[in-house]
């Protein structure tokens, strides 16, 4: 999708006063979301360029994630949303989990802050934290791998 098409989607959002827009056209999926007032017409080209760059990078990261998913003895915990990733409840506290730590099903691994709401990221199964794949305090994307957990079967 080119910059012009993305600018048109943003203009549609402005005109209809939408806060989110999802487009699914087979292989191409675009989700636009905002939580503030309308953008100025000068901001549209800048945002369209950024979305184009993210789309180009997203294809590469999905290919890498598919290779990582091939490991049968571990699972990837992915971000359910776009937001800020935090490994601990506050900056002065210990992280929820560390590499090498055993975790239980539904145990909190991290937090993703989205729209001023803290969303817990939990372990889908018992296992051992093998890798933390996102840096603390960074922006994460939807479906981005956050943790690799060795499942109970692998131990």
């Amino acid at each position: 999708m080119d910059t012009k098409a993305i600018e048109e989607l943003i203009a549609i959002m402005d005109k209809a006063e939408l806060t989110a827009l999802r487009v699914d056209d087979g292989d191409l999926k675009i989700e636009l979301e905002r939580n503030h007032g309308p953008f100025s017409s000068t901001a549209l080209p800048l945002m369209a360029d950024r979305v184009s760059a993210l789309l180009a990078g997203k294809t590469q990261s999905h290919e890498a994630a598919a290779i990582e998913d091939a490991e049968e003895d571990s699972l990837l915990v992915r971000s359910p949303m776009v937001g800020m990733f935090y490994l601990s409840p506050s900056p002065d506290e210990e992280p929820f989990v560390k590499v090498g730590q055993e975790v239980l099903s539904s145990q909190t691994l991290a937090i993703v802050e989205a729209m001023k709401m803290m969303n817990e990221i939990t372990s889908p199964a018992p296992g051992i934290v093998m890798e933390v794949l996102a840096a603390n305090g960074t922006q994460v994307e939807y479906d981005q791998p956050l943790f690799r957990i060795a499942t109970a079967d692998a131990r």
Side-chain angles (χ1 to χ4, degrees), residues 50 54 58 79-83 139-146:
R50 179 173 160 90
L54 289 172
K58 198 168 193 178
S79 179
M81 65 196 67
V82 174
Q139 178 84 18
V140 293
E141 299 297 321
Y142 170 75
D143 205 34
Q144 177 179 336
L146 302 175

Side-chain angles (χ1 to χ4, degrees), residues 6-80:
I6 295 170
E7 287 176 2
E8 290 172 4
L9 291 174
I10 294 169
I12 290 168
M13 286 181 70
D14 284 343
K15 185 175 182 181
E17 297 180 11
L18 299 174
T19 58
L21 177 68
R22 182 177 303 145
V23 177
D24 187 349
D25 185 22
D27 294 333
L28 179 66
K29 295 179 182 177
I30 297 176
E31 293 185 24
L32 301 173
E33 186 175 329
R34 66 168 155 221
N35 59 0
H36 48 71
F39 291 105
S40 68
S41 58
T42 58
L44 290 177
L46 298 173
M47 178 172 270
D49 287 339
R50 179 173 160 90
V51 171
S52 293
L54 289 172
L55 287 173
K58 198 168 193 178
T59 304
Q60 294 168 358
S61 65
H62 277 301
E63 290 169 2
I67 294 167
E68 293 169 349
D69 285 339
E71 292 187 29
E72 294 177 18
D73 60 344
S74 67
L75 57 93
L76 289 175
V77 177
R78 297 176 178 274
S79 179

Side-chain angles (χ1 to χ4, degrees), residues 67-132:
I67 294 167
E68 293 169 349
D69 285 339
E71 292 187 29
E72 294 177 18
D73 60 344
S74 67
L75 57 93
L76 289 175
V77 177
R78 297 176 178 274
S79 179
M81 65 196 67
V82 174
M84 293 300 291
F85 177 75
Y86 298 108
L87 288 168
S88 61
S90 69
D92 57 337
E93 292 186 45
E94 290 293 312
F96 290 106
V97 295
K98 296 179 181 175
V99 172
Q101 179 179 337
E102 188 170 351
V103 294
L104 302 173
S105 185
S106 301
Q107 181 174 340
T108 301
L109 303 173
I111 296 172
V112 173
E113 178 186 6
M115 297 175 60
K116 300 189 184 208
M117 292 190 61
M118 300 298 182
N119 302 280
E120 289 185 354
I121 306 302
T122 59
S123 178
I128 296 176
V129 177
M130 300 305 292
E131 288 181 90
V132 178

